Amino acid sequence: MRPFTYSQAADVEAAVREVSTDGARFIAGGTNLLDLMKIDVLRPSHLVDITQIAHRSIDQTGEGGLLLGALVTNADTAYHPQVEQRYPLLSHAILAGATAQLRNMATDGGNLLQRTRCYYFYDTHTPCNKREPGSGCSAIKGYNRDLAILGTSESCIATHPSDMCVALAALEATVHVTGKAGERTIPFQDFHRLPGDTPHLDANLQPDEIITAIELPSKGFSQHYAYLKLRDRASYAFALVSVAAALELDGDTIKDIRVALGGVAHKPWRLPEAEALLKGQEATPATFQKLAKAYLQGARGYGHNDFKIELAQRAIVRALLQAKERKTTA
Amino acid sequence: MNTHHIGTPANRKDGREKVTGKAKYAAEYFAPDLVYGFVVNSAIAKGRITGIDLSEAQQLPGVLHIFTHENRPGYTWLDSHYQDEDSPPGSPFRPLYNNQITFSMQPIALVVAESFELARYAGMLVKVTYEEEPQETDFEKNLIHAYEPPNYKSSPPPKPWGNPEEAMAHAPVKLEQAYSHPAEHHNPMEMHAATVIYGQDGKLTVYDKIQGVQNSQKYLSHAFGIPLQDVHVVSEYVGGGFGSGLRPQYQLFLAVLAARELKRSVRLMLTRQQMFSFGHRPKTVQRFALGATQDGKLQALEQNAFAETSRFEDYSEDVVIWPGVLYACDNVKLTHKLVGLDVYTPLDMRAPGGTTGIYALECAIDEMAYQVGMDPMEFRLKNYSEKDYNKDKPFSSKELREAYRQGAARFGWEKRNPAPRSMKEGHQLIGWGVAQGAWEAKQQEAAAKAVLTPEGKLTVSSATADIGTGTYTVMAQIAAETLGLPLEDVTFKLGDSTLPKSPLEGGSWTVSSVGSAVKAVCEQVQEQLLKLAQKLENSPFSNAKREDLTFSGGRLFVTQAPAQSVSLAEVLAQAKGSPLEVEASLKPAKEQQNYSPYAHSATFVEVQVDEDLGTIKVTRIVSAIAGGRIINPKTARSQILGGAVWGIGVALEEHSVMDSRVGRFMTHDLDKYHVPVNADVQQIEVIFVEEHDAIVNPLGAKGLGEIGIVSVAPAIANAVFHATGKRVRELPITLDKLL
């Protein structure tokens, strides 16, 4: 690990100020950052510890939603009664990720900003545009089993590794950030970026901006939801494909539907226009199949990950069926 | 006082030390002058180093020295000086020897600094330039260059028997298939490490992660030209070995090199990523041809194995001996070729050759059973071998039929619907599979020492290891039973090169070899006790021989006259305050050579496979083991459980993925290299069947370290076929292969 300086920010203002120096980064749970520093992938010269600032609670919003402070841990979020009852999809998604120990350390804000687990991003002896812009992508023609099939570019086929974010995308959360220019909110779908020719940028966040909270709208789809995660072992593995599915039903008729995919792109993958077409239709496997097909239209495999195109479609159908058939326990 | 210990589930003697953190591992020893090493690994897989710029790294305060091939001290040059007890034929790798790069992540520099963090940071500042050469690490592409090595590390493939070509040509039912097993890395929990304490006299005390302290001691003595007695190697606890600690690894060489040059104590621990920079289970492709009659009698079998090795050593395993051990077939042909690649030499990994060879054999046999329309267990029983065909010798014992009987009954095998894809629950296809296995029950020469104090406390020792298997406990049980002592009065010492000679802790031979030596040395203590007992007034033993005696409950008596027993305390009083001390070495009995000793297994597995998504869950495993006499049912069961869990990994998860464009295993951490986690492991049952064996060794016990793994992966693969009707012949079986 390269040497770095360290400071503890007392409040958001100080955090924003202190992170504005060259090479500075925030550290909260550190579950991803420290690993990356040890293997020399990330080389911050200064760490601003934000664990002492506010934003460590979960509160009701005026609009009937929930505001998750950025520094609430993933574990506290998943087990919060309001989240469990009103946003069980989010709770399930969080608990499908990592391990109990990691979830106890990792924060909600940090979860949004974790880096890809691409093999080559982690190996400083191989080219990687995300790690070292312009060096090339080793994954496109290399080993790419875990990597993206949607929204890829010539320079990067990395995936975003989070489970939590897949649920947040489906729930249409909003990210609250504060920077030198003040506060602003970012709709979740616009928070993460596609790689394009700037794969080193994961999110639409300015270097001086800090995530302060994640806002959940009032609608939580607590009746019909499913988080289906497919991976190479039953726990402690990143998704090959994951699906956050949520339905609002009137009998068998779809009133509202949300589907977000994880493990397939540089960001949680949503296709609201395809979802919209399903409103008013019957919630049947055939309907779900149509949606699945629409979601994967334009998907491209890179060899080892070709299977994800078929798998993702099957997973969407299965997750929607699970969501539909879910027996909610009162 | 109950002093019958053999066959009782005693708790681990070292359990408390381990769970309280008192047990010290190689990287946990300290000295006031200790400094820390960090290895810099090669970025390329083949070529040469054209320059190493140390200037920036060396400037860091606290960096003591950076060793490279340019500044290293002189080396001895004979290959034999670098060979160890587990070396394959060839020229062993020498760290920092010259500028040649022969495998990816080759160690090319050692930074020594005042802290680990500083050493690692300095390592990042070492700038290396290379002249790259194209490497060949693509196994399939290089299959055409496969060769028969002049010398096999393993036994050479058995000579053909019968007339395989003709029998195959005339066989009514034929099967030809190839099976692929990927490279895998051991990944013990404890990373390889060495702490070298530099003594004032220049003598070294070396704490090494190793499965045989005397192997490291001899290696260091030869490689550095140090007298044997000036290197003391200690390894009291090993955080998992699985074969990765059979050969001294480069951390040992480099730590000692640095300690000798700097005249300071040095600790060097590899990172998890660096655990992928040396030995691994080789990638193996096996082509099988089977011929059988319509009613399921095997008539001909051909197995051609191709396995990876390095450019500098001919590593080979017993991949092709299993048909001759497990099946009665009169016409067999076996070959085993090596594929040289620009990788580090493969290394024995739990049941080397058996895990790969039995996987492929048991899948091929399963396919043949379906082809002739027989129950896969019936097919195996019909072709059950009553002798070892490779050596044409009878088995020392083989209760595999009984293992099948008990295993099948426990599993409920008779309820199986034979048709593939016939059993289902919701979206889950259910499959039941079976496979059998064997592992050699070898005894090696070993020595042990016993010291019995006047107070009746016994210490037995041998330079073996406990790699988590329970050596501390079972050796104490054997000794306590032999001398009729309570278990708490017996201590077993191991992991110290000054102790009596022991073979490497591997090959499932430790109980058989060291355990038998422990028994032998305790029998010599019995002799001494008898002599003392004969000095007693009115001794009831005056005409007795040792064989006539029973040692039990802290007393000894003539077996025929238990009423006239004498306490050990009384007998020991005759020694007038001096302890009894005996050292003995034991070789396998000559008679063993007329027999073939193997442990056997029959494994039954249930899987659930999602019909749409391909996810696989191993819901039940029943492993029935014929392993001779079980010394400790608790530690024995743990061994079989561990083997079963690893079998899940072999079948479904483990895969060291080679990117042959860069010549590197890309799955080089535990995020990307999957081993089973708790959630993967459901119900596992272990059965030990009664098996008496008077030949295998004086204990009648067979080693259990490897028999537990060999038949698990094929049973899973066969269950997946039964569930889905799809035969995946390339491990690991991941969900994409079932879509």
Side-chain angles (χ1 to χ4, degrees):
Chain A
M1 196 182 286
R2 288 165 198 261
F4 57 90
T5 51
Y6 169 89
S7 65
Q8 219 171 42
D11 52 32
V12 171
E13 203 176 75
V16 167
R17 193 173 56 240
E18 287 170 32
V19 88
S20 299
T21 56
D22 258 3
R25 273 176 177 275
F26 293 126
I27 182 165
T31 55
N32 191 202
L33 177 65
L34 293 177
D35 279 352
L36 290 166
M37 287 169 68
K38 284 187 209 167
I39 58 172
D40 208 24
V41 170
L42 293 182
R43 305 169 173 185
S45 54
H46 181 71
L47 290 183
V48 182
D49 182 339
I50 53 172
T51 55
Q52 298 310 306
I53 66 177
H55 307 287
R56 283 179 285 166
S57 61
I58 294 179
D59 304 299
Q60 307 279 348
T61 66
E63 289 75 37
L66 220 50
L67 198 64
L68 314 174
L71 287 158
V72 178
T73 67
N74 289 176
D76 285 345
T77 307
Y79 295 118
H80 192 277
Q82 286 287 313
V83 176
E84 281 185 320
Q85 282 159 31
R86 298 177 53 203
Y87 307 93
L89 175 63
L90 178 61
S91 184
H92 281 228
I94 291 172
L95 296 178
T99 62
Q101 293 92 330
L102 285 165
R103 293 191 297 264
N104 285 340
M105 283 302 287
T107 62
D108 289 351
N111 192 305
L112 268 57
L113 295 177
Q114 58 180 310
R115 309 302 304 272
T116 185
R117 261 64 175 189
C118 175
Y119 321 91
Y120 302 95
F121 178 69
Y122 270 72
D123 188 330
T124 53
H125 287 151
T126 58
C128 169
N129 285 324
K130 185 180 277 297
R131 180 173 22 84
E132 212 182 316
S135 62
C137 174
S138 299
I140 288 175
K141 289 185 176 160
Y143 184 59
N144 48 46
R145 176 179 174 78
D146 288 0
L147 302 179
I149 51 171
L150 285 163
T152 56
S153 75
E154 293 297 296
S155 30
C156 184
I157 60 170
T159 52
H160 193 265
S162 168
D163 290 297
M164 181 184 183
C165 290
V166 184
L168 291 174
L171 292 168
E172 298 190 343
T174 305
V175 185
H176 292 233
V177 306
T178 301
K180 272 187 179 159
E183 294 177 21
R184 64 179 180 125
T185 57
I186 309 170
F188 203 81
Q189 204 46 33
D190 300 332
F191 183 79
H192 293 106
R193 299 163 58 96
L194 287 181
D197 53 8
T198 53
H200 59 291
L201 301 175
D202 290 351
N204 287 311
L205 203 61
Q206 296 305 312
D208 61 279
E209 282 181 319
I210 181 171
I211 301 171
T212 55
I214 299 150
E215 184 179 345
L216 301 174
S218 61
K219 194 160 155 182
F221 296 90
S222 61
Q223 299 299 304
H224 295 284
Y225 64 91
Y227 188 71
L228 176 64
K229 183 176 182 181
L230 304 174
R231 42 183 158 179
D232 281 330
R233 62 181 169 192
S235 175
Y236 197 37
F238 291 96
L240 294 166
V241 169
S242 69
V243 184
L247 285 168
E248 194 183 353
L249 296 174
D250 181 3
D252 260 0
T253 308
I254 298 169
K255 276 181 73 185
D256 199 358
I257 179 170
R258 303 273 178 81
V259 168
L261 298 182
V264 295
H266 204 255
K267 60 190 283 188
W269 196 257
R270 276 284 306 280
L271 220 55
E273 52 285 16
E275 292 168 352
L277 294 175
L278 264 64
K279 288 181 188 170
Q281 296 201 24
E282 292 291 290
T284 63
T287 310
F288 299 155
Q289 188 69 56
K290 257 193 293 179
L291 183 78
K293 215 171 161 190
Y295 259 72
L296 273 297
Q297 214 154 41
R300 178 187 165 187
Y302 291 85
H304 301 100
N305 68 353
D306 292 350
F307 72 95
K308 286 189 176 187
I309 300 172
E310 177 63 30
L311 183 67
Q313 296 184 58
R314 296 185 188 190
I316 290 171
V317 174
R318 175 67 64 81
L320 284 166
L321 282 171
Q322 286 178 352
K324 182 191 165 190
E325 288 156 16
R326 181 172 293 280
K327 305 271 186 298
T328 42
T329 45
Chain B
M1 188 198 306
N2 181 13
T3 58
H4 292 294
H5 307 293
I6 293 184
T8 65
N11 286 335
R12 283 172 193 273
K13 282 254 178 193
D14 51 336
R16 193 177 178 82
E17 277 64 33
K18 282 185 174 165
V19 298
T20 55
K22 274 187 189 155
K24 273 189 170 186
Y25 294 83
E28 297 181 315
Y29 289 87
F30 186 75
D33 67 334
L34 190 67
V35 287
Y36 301 80
F38 192 84
V39 173
V40 179
N41 300 86
S42 166
I44 67 165
K46 194 177 181 188
R48 59 187 192 91
I49 298 167
T50 51
I52 303 190
D53 178 2
L54 304 177
S55 53
E56 206 183 334
Q58 268 171 338
Q59 274 166 23
L60 292 176
V63 171
L64 300 170
H65 194 76
I66 302 173
F67 294 92
T68 70
H69 69 277
E70 289 172 346
N71 65 20
R72 65 161 177 82
Y75 281 6
T76 171
W77 61 274
L78 279 176
D79 275 340
S80 63
H81 288 172
Y82 299 89
Q83 271 156 349
D84 67 273
E85 287 177 44
D86 193 39
S87 289
S91 179
F93 172 68
R94 308 167 190 198
L96 314 186
Y97 186 64
N98 58 24
N99 67 348
Q100 298 298 309
I101 300 296
T102 53
F103 59 94
S104 183
M105 293 181 78
Q106 176 177 322
I108 53 174
L110 173 71
V111 182
V112 183
E114 277 165 6
S115 76
F116 169 78
E117 288 75 14
L118 184 61
R120 180 171 59 184
Y121 170 43
M124 291 170 182
L125 302 180
V126 171
K127 292 186 185 63
V128 187
T129 51
Y130 305 92
E131 190 178 288
E132 278 190 69
E133 288 169 40
Q135 75 279 346
E136 289 292 345
T137 55
D138 185 330
F139 182 86
E140 274 79 15
K141 203 176 122 200
N142 284 276
L143 265 176
I144 47 165
H145 304 301
Y147 62 94
E148 283 179 14
N151 295 296
Y152 284 85
K153 174 180 188 284
S154 53
S155 41
K159 297 255 183 301
W161 61 90
N163 192 338
E165 282 82 7
E166 202 189 306
M168 193 68 76
H170 292 107
V173 187
K174 295 189 182 74
L175 175 103
E176 269 187 58
Q177 283 302 347
Y179 303 86
S180 167
H181 190 298
E184 295 170 343
H185 282 78
H186 305 72
N187 280 306
M189 187 80 85
E190 178 200 16
M191 274 86 80
H192 279 240
T195 303
V196 182
I197 309 296
Y198 192 83
Q200 282 176 341
D201 47 4
K203 291 184 183 180
L204 306 177
T205 303
V206 181
Y207 299 93
D208 187 27
K209 189 213 168 90
I210 190 76
Q211 293 173 235
V213 280
Q214 289 168 335
N215 193 28
S216 288
Q217 184 194 29
K218 271 181 281 176
Y219 171 79
L220 292 174
S221 168
H222 294 155
F224 289 97
I226 323 172
L228 214 51
Q229 63 273 17
D230 290 356
V231 203
H232 180 198
V233 181
V234 179
S235 180
E236 286 191 330
Y237 296 96
V238 182
F242 316 119
S244 70
L246 287 173
R247 298 187 72 181
Q249 300 299 350
Y250 66 76
Q251 93 284 348
L252 175 69
F253 181 93
L254 290 174
V256 169
L257 173 85
R260 280 166 52 86
E261 291 306 305
L262 302 174
K263 304 200 184 323
R264 284 187 77 151
S265 301
V266 174
R267 177 189 298 165
L268 175 53
M269 185 173 78
L270 301 187
T271 64
R272 179 57 66 186
Q273 286 82 359
Q274 288 170 334
M275 291 298 289
F276 291 80
S277 65
F278 56 95
H280 55 278
R281 197 194 291 285
K283 181 174 169 96
T284 306
V285 167
Q286 298 168 64
R287 297 178 186 148
F288 271 88
L290 268 58
T293 60
Q294 297 285 4
D295 64 346
K297 178 78 197 76
L298 270 180
Q299 291 189 312
L301 187 150
E302 188 174 335
Q303 180 188 8
N304 300 299
F306 302 85
E308 173 197 5
T309 191
S310 68
R311 299 288 188 199
F312 46 94
E313 285 170 316
D314 280 336
Y315 175 84
S316 69
E317 306 174 331
D318 281 330
V319 180
V320 299
I321 64 168
W322 308 105
V325 172
L326 288 168
Y327 290 97
C329 184
D330 292 327
N331 305 286
V332 172
K333 189 181 165 193
L334 307 161
T335 69
H336 184 179
K337 291 183 178 173
L338 303 183
V339 179
L341 297 177
D342 296 310
V343 295
Y344 191 81
T345 308
L347 175 61
D348 294 320
M349 179 159 154
R350 203 171 192 177
T355 301
T356 41
I358 293 172
Y359 150 67
L361 171 65
E362 285 301 285
C363 287
I365 288 287
D366 210 66
E367 293 206 49
M368 183 53 109
Y370 280 97
Q371 213 161 310
V372 299
M374 261 178 95
D375 176 276
M377 180 173 78
E378 287 311 313
F379 184 90
R380 287 171 172 87
L381 288 170
K382 180 159 189 162
N383 294 286
Y384 190 91
S385 64
E386 296 290 1
K387 65 170 183 179
D388 178 353
Y389 281 72
N390 299 322
K391 297 175 185 157
D392 197 22
K393 286 179 188 174
F395 293 112
S396 61
S397 60
K398 181 178 178 182
E399 295 293 345
L400 179 58
R401 271 187 220 283
E402 184 58 17
Y404 269 119
R405 200 187 62 74
Q406 291 187 29
R410 186 79 60 89
F411 187 82
W413 185 258
E414 83 281 358
K415 295 190 220 88
R416 180 178 184 266
N417 183 332
R421 227 183 162 89
S422 60
M423 294 157 64
K424 200 174 164 187
E425 267 178 38
H427 288 294
Q428 302 301 311
L429 303 166
I430 293 172
W432 288 3
V434 67
Q436 62 182 4
W439 190 256
E440 199 171 12
K442 252 188 223 170
Q443 185 190 352
Q444 310 269 15
E445 183 176 354
K449 183 179 173 180
V451 179
L452 182 61
T453 67
E455 297 75 34
K457 306 282 184 202
L458 177 71
T459 301
V460 186
S461 57
S462 179
T464 182
D466 188 336
I467 59 172
T469 44
T471 313
Y472 278 113
T473 313
V474 296
M475 296 303 161
Q477 284 178 273
I478 293 165
E481 168 108 8
T482 310
L483 288 169
L485 294 169
L487 198 54
E488 55 271 22
D489 286 352
V490 180
T491 304
F492 188 73
K493 285 188 175 169
L494 53 70
D496 186 317
S497 60
T498 58
L499 296 176
K501 192 172 175 321
S502 158
L504 282 166
E505 211 283 5
S508 293
W509 60 52
T510 299
V511 165
S512 184
S513 313
V514 181
S516 295
V518 166
K519 182 169 190 269
V521 78
C522 289
E523 284 169 353
Q524 295 197 16
V525 175
Q526 287 181 341
E527 291 280 3
Q528 295 204 2
L529 287 168
L530 174 60
K531 276 185 200 143
L532 290 174
Q534 284 168 340
K535 291 185 192 164
L536 292 167
E537 253 178 79
N538 302 324
S539 173
F541 306 104
S542 39
N543 297 315
K545 294 198 176 70
R546 186 182 65 81
E547 294 75 26
D548 304 333
L549 301 183
T550 294
F551 289 75
S552 181
R555 306 182 74 83
L556 72 159
F557 52 87
V558 174
T559 309
Q560 302 300 330
Q564 287 176 293
S565 71
V566 178
S567 77
L568 283 185
E570 280 178 69
V571 178
L572 282 166
Q574 298 298 312
K576 307 203 167 32
S578 57
L580 304 187
E581 227 179 283
V582 187
E583 188 167 335
S585 182
L586 189 73
K587 282 184 187 166
K590 281 235 160 55
E591 193 196 3
Q592 281 182 19
Q593 291 169 10
N594 303 323
Y595 295 87
S596 189
Y598 279 91
H600 291 88
S601 63
T603 302
F604 299 83
V605 164
E606 177 183 89
V607 298
Q608 287 185 3
V609 183
D610 190 290
E611 60 179 341
D612 299 320
L613 308 173
T615 47
I616 306 165
K617 206 188 288 175
V618 180
T619 44
R620 279 199 298 148
I621 297 177
V622 173
S623 233
I625 306 291
R629 188 185 192 191
I630 304 302
I631 306 291
N632 181 332
K634 193 172 190 176
T635 52
R637 178 171 174 273
S638 293
Q639 293 253 45
I640 305 305
L641 288 179
V645 171
W646 200 331
I648 296 173
V650 171
L652 307 180
E653 297 178 13
E654 294 199 43
H655 190 184
S656 295
V657 177
M658 170 62 72
D659 181 340
S660 50
R661 300 168 312 160
V662 288
R664 172 173 294 208
F665 291 113
M666 287 313 300
T667 47
H668 51 62
D669 61 35
L670 292 182
D671 158 16
K672 297 176 179 70
Y673 186 92
H674 283 182
V675 297
V677 293
N678 270 329
D680 293 316
V681 180
Q682 313 255 325
Q683 202 183 318
I684 303 177
E685 283 188 68
V686 179
I687 298 168
F688 292 110
V689 302
E690 203 168 321
E691 185 175 67
H692 297 281
D693 194 325
I695 307 292
V696 65
N697 57 54
L699 292 164
K702 296 175 180 177
L704 299 170
E706 284 152 306
I707 188 62
I709 187 175
V710 288
S711 49
V712 178
I716 293 171
N718 295 339
V720 168
F721 172 74
H722 182 236
T724 63
K726 196 161 179 181
R727 185 64 75 169
V728 178
R729 301 186 183 87
E730 188 181 14
L731 295 183
I733 305 172
T734 45
L735 59 81
D736 48 302
K737 296 173 186 170
L738 295 170
L739 289 181

